[in-house]
Amino acid sequence: MPIHNEDIARVFDEIADLLEIEGDNPFRVRAYRTAARRVRELGRDLREMVARDEDLTKIPGIGKELSAKIHEIVETGTCRALEKLRRRLPPDLPELLRLPGLGPKRVHALYHELDVHNLEQLERAARDGRIRGLPGFGPKTEARILEAIHAQLDVTRRFKLATAAQYAEPLAEYLRLAPGIDQVEIAGSYRRRKETVGDLDILCTAKAGRPVIERFVAYDEVDEVLSQGTTRASVVLRSGLQVDLRVVRKASYGAALHYFTGSRAHNIAIRTLAVRRGLKINEYGVFRGERRVAGKTEESVFAAVGLPWIPPELRENRGEIEAAQAGLLPNLVELDDLRGDLHCHSRASDGTGTLRHIAEAARARGFEYIAITDHSKRLTVAHGLDERRLLRQVAEIDALNARLDGIRVLKGVEVDILEDGSLDLPDRVLARLDLVIAAVHSRFDLSRAAQTRRILRAMDNPHVTLLAHPTGRLIGEREPYDVDMTRIIRKARERRVALELNAHPERLDLLDVHCQMAREEGVLVSINSDAHSDLDFDNLRFGVGQARRGWLEKGDVLNTRPLDELLSWLHGRKAS
Ligand SMILES: [Zn+2]
Ligand SMILES: [Zn+2]
């Protein structure tokens, strides 16, 4: 059974949960949590790394012991340490931890005092009023627990795009080997590169449906078959991801692909155009009366309503149809357009690579430049650099550039924006760098006015080149902080500061709508990996997907520029 990074992350999370409930050493618990996060964020497939016998301790947060566990999980599908913990505690206990307000201590008490093992028993205990009597609980906590249980049961699970990709791509590859199969495409929000994906819609054409469907339901990650016919089936994978597969006729493939790619709003607008031309569009084709006039390809569907093909990332009915009518569709940026990466951490802060290692990895990827932007001293958890360490790094980079061919290492920093909008390092140090990324890593809770003022003030510092992850959101975990993005984008134009589109799978921040605003204001966007190891460069593709959703063309993206143009932009800023 193939093991994905997400499976490994879940094992580590569960170990951390169980250790926490048992009251184990907090450092040990945190090591597992960090490892789970690192594994989840990783751009590379761990199974593949194990197969190639690569050194996993290169990954930040993964030491010898965790590396051995990853090998064990990849090779055996399980982990003895987890099995042992599971034997000691009831299996559903960890899900109680996910309720807001229930930490390991409280879960421990509920388990030992009330013999509560799972959500149902917890709900019963709350309804019976048995929880309020426990030390450290009370009627208010009890009511909140009951509310949280109900909210929890309502949540429909969505997957981050990068997580969905881990499951979707191998499955599509597997289907491509089905007998008689012709075309295979993952449609839906996945194809539109939305930041989260609810379920997967896969379309294919084949000589016959049945063998494809049989191969699909036999996939070894299928946990449950919800329905199965001769041309359609729905399954749930072990990960909880639902996948619907349809085998469609060749003559309908383009219409089906358009229909199942969506979005709904886009499809409705296209169908309205069709009606005006006396046509009907559905998943089977484009029809005039009973006669099919188009539908074999997506191009033919668009052509039937007088439009050129519209890239899936734009299909949100946010102006793409009007742009297509006017011949003004953007020529969207592509992964291959990127010439370098402007946000990368070395071993000096919380990354894993040495300067030389990062530079060589970037060169091997075909980059012309890479910026080293370690954290500043305020971020103590990341071992941020103070003035002295940063200046030493500057000297090291100069020495490295003198020895290296084919890649230019740029001197940078990811400097913390302090609460009052001042920066965590003095101007005389920032002046020595090629670029300065300013970033908020604290006080996400400020009022809209204060947060906006703070960031605007930072952008007024003449040394700031780039604003990192502008809204601070973590998908599914932390909402964007309350900030006036219109004012920030205007300030970026005025100060000639570029905005980052952080390609980290948890961030994808700049948001798509803000990319569109930046483009309209003539503000450059930089698609950066925020790499903590060279493996993270692979995440850039998700950043490019987001940029495409935000209508960005190559010319809108700072790091598509060749080195000499980038340098003259950086120096031009300084001179002005
Ligand atoms: Zn950051
Ligand atoms: Zn960073």
Side-chain angles (χ1 to χ4, degrees):
M1 188 155 2
I3 296 291
H4 303 279
N5 292 5
E6 178 67 20
D7 302 320
I8 297 166
R10 286 184 190 182
V11 170
F12 288 166
D13 268 336
E14 193 179 340
I15 292 177
D17 288 343
L18 295 173
L19 288 175
E20 225 177 341
I21 295 171
E22 283 205 325
D24 204 289
N25 177 346
F27 291 103
R28 193 147 164 247
V29 173
R30 198 179 320 143
Y32 278 106
R33 293 240 185 270
T34 308
R37 215 178 54 237
R38 295 302 192 196
V39 163
R40 207 165 257 135
E41 292 166 354
L42 199 65
R44 287 271 315 279
D45 194 13
L46 278 167
R47 182 177 31 152
E48 196 184 294
M49 293 179 70
V50 167
R52 294 194 189 152
D53 209 24
E54 290 181 47
D55 179 9
L56 304 182
T57 60
K58 281 194 335 193
I59 304 165
I62 304 293
K64 278 226 178 72
E65 197 192 318
L66 286 164
S67 161
K69 290 217 164 61
I70 293 173
H71 276 269
E72 185 191 351
I73 298 165
V74 168
E75 281 151 17
T76 69
T78 179
C79 171
R80 274 163 307 171
L82 175 61
E83 301 299 330
K84 231 163 95 189
L85 280 164
R86 278 180 177 164
R87 281 196 293 273
R88 292 208 295 258
L89 291 168
D92 294 333
L93 209 50
E95 70 184 29
L96 303 187
L97 277 179
R98 316 226 194 291
L99 293 180
L102 280 195
K105 264 205 198 108
R106 284 188 160 161
V107 171
H108 186 264
L110 289 164
Y111 169 52
H112 283 279
E113 305 297 324
L114 299 180
D115 205 25
V116 163
H117 291 195
N118 55 39
L119 275 182
E120 287 81 60
Q121 292 172 347
L122 182 66
E123 192 193 11
R124 218 171 307 132
R127 264 194 286 131
D128 297 349
R130 281 185 285 133
I131 292 175
R132 63 184 70 182
L134 288 180
F137 291 78
K140 259 197 200 141
T141 314
E142 190 179 73
R144 237 180 293 135
I145 288 175
L146 204 52
E147 239 171 67
I149 295 170
H150 294 143
Q152 179 95 341
L153 298 173
D154 285 345
V155 174
T156 52
R157 241 183 116 198
R158 288 187 74 83
F159 286 72
K160 290 183 195 105
L161 181 61
T163 309
Q166 286 176 26
Y167 297 108
E169 284 164 18
L171 173 54
E173 280 313 307
Y174 167 88
L175 288 173
R176 283 192 183 100
L177 300 175
I181 195 119
D182 186 15
Q183 303 163 91
V184 178
E185 184 101 49
I186 307 164
S189 47
Y190 186 82
R191 185 163 177 244
R192 302 200 315 277
R193 308 265 91 190
K194 270 206 86 164
E195 55 202 31
T196 62
V197 173
D199 47 26
L200 291 180
D201 281 300
I202 305 184
L203 294 180
C204 56
T205 55
K207 273 203 198 78
R210 197 186 295 272
V212 178
I213 296 295
E214 274 166 10
R215 182 169 172 85
F216 175 56
V217 298
Y219 189 50
D220 64 1
E221 286 183 43
V222 168
D223 190 39
E224 192 185 349
V225 178
L226 300 175
S227 68
Q228 180 179 356
T230 50
T231 60
R232 259 197 81 166
S234 277
V235 304
V236 179
L237 302 182
R238 269 192 294 126
S239 55
L241 187 62
Q242 184 178 328
V243 188
D244 299 332
L245 175 71
R246 289 177 177 80
V247 185
V248 302
R249 295 171 52 197
K250 275 207 170 93
S252 298
Y253 183 68
L257 190 55
H258 181 259
Y259 182 89
F260 288 107
T261 296
S263 67
R264 239 178 88 80
H266 167 90
N267 285 357
I268 289 171
I270 294 287
R271 285 203 294 270
T272 309
L273 287 184
V275 169
R276 270 188 231 140
R277 292 173 170 239
L279 297 170
K280 196 176 107 199
I281 297 186
N282 58 29
E283 61 184 282
Y284 304 106
V286 182
F287 297 89
R288 184 176 300 282
E290 295 294 296
R291 197 166 60 87
R292 187 204 311 265
V293 295
K296 190 166 182 223
T297 63
E298 272 195 328
E299 283 81 356
S300 76
V301 175
F302 283 111
V305 292
L307 296 178
W309 181 80
I310 299 176
E313 295 92 335
L314 297 182
R315 299 184 197 167
E316 299 291 338
N317 197 26
R318 281 205 306 247
E320 75 278 10
I321 293 169
E322 294 76 4
Q325 281 167 333
L328 294 173
L329 278 177
N331 186 7
L332 298 177
V333 63
E334 292 180 25
L335 184 59
D336 284 345
D337 292 331
L338 301 186
R339 303 286 188 103
D341 191 334
L342 297 179
H343 186 163
C344 179
H345 296 271
S346 82
R347 212 157 68 162
S349 66
D350 56 349
T352 50
T354 61
L355 298 176
R356 173 176 276 277
H357 177 85
I358 295 166
E360 284 171 351
R363 184 174 60 189
R365 262 196 111 76
F367 286 162
E368 289 177 36
Y369 48 85
I370 180 81
I372 303 295
T373 55
D374 278 312
H375 288 291
S376 64
K377 60 183 187 287
R378 162 69 186 264
L379 216 57
T380 47
V381 290
H383 202 46
L385 275 61
D386 60 13
E387 184 173 343
R388 194 182 47 86
R389 290 177 61 215
L390 181 57
L391 289 176
R392 202 169 62 207
Q393 188 180 67
V394 163
E396 282 168 24
I397 293 175
D398 284 338
L400 181 62
N401 276 325
R403 290 197 307 269
L404 271 181
D405 285 325
I407 183 88
R408 170 70 170 268
V409 183
L410 299 170
K411 294 165 282 188
V413 73
E414 180 176 10
V415 65
D416 259 57
I417 301 176
L418 304 180
E419 193 180 331
D420 64 357
S422 62
L423 300 179
D424 190 29
L425 286 165
D427 284 0
R428 62 170 189 283
V429 180
L430 301 180
R432 301 274 304 274
L433 304 171
D434 296 310
L435 80 162
V436 172
I437 304 183
V440 167
H441 291 125
S442 60
R443 292 307 308 269
F444 305 114
D445 59 334
L446 292 183
S447 72
R448 182 180 181 85
Q451 195 71 276
T452 305
R453 205 178 323 120
R454 172 193 192 185
I455 296 172
L456 293 179
R457 180 171 170 215
M459 293 168 83
D460 269 327
N461 181 305
H463 301 291
V464 170
T465 328
L466 201 65
L467 179 66
H469 39 72
T471 77
R473 66 96 175 254
L474 297 177
I475 298 171
E477 280 162 51
R478 188 169 74 211
E479 291 296 308
Y481 35 72
D482 196 4
V483 74
D484 187 342
M485 281 305 291
T486 307
R487 288 186 63 198
I488 286 179
I489 290 168
R490 299 247 158 91
K491 175 66 91 179
R493 182 185 60 188
E494 175 199 325
R495 300 290 313 162
R496 297 179 66 210
V497 168
L499 298 179
E500 174 176 82
L501 195 177
N502 192 299
H504 195 294
E506 287 199 316
R507 292 192 182 271
L508 294 179
D509 178 13
L510 219 41
L511 276 56
D512 49 8
V513 288
H514 297 145
C515 288
Q516 218 170 344
M517 281 165 64
R519 170 180 154 86
E520 281 158 15
E521 294 283 336
V523 169
L524 287 170
V525 172
S526 184
I527 304 174
N528 298 336
S529 67
D530 199 352
H532 286 71
S533 100
D534 59 85
L535 309 171
D536 296 339
F537 293 145
D538 286 326
N539 289 329
L540 284 168
R541 64 191 177 118
F542 300 112
V544 170
Q546 173 96 334
R548 291 169 63 88
R549 289 182 54 78
W551 291 58
L552 298 188
E553 300 188 305
K554 184 176 172 184
D556 302 316
V557 178
L558 179 60
N559 52 326
T560 60
R561 306 204 168 174
L563 177 63
D564 50 347
E565 279 181 36
L566 175 75
L567 290 176
S568 58
W569 184 81
L570 289 169
H571 296 146
R573 283 190 75 261
K574 279 195 177 170
S576 67

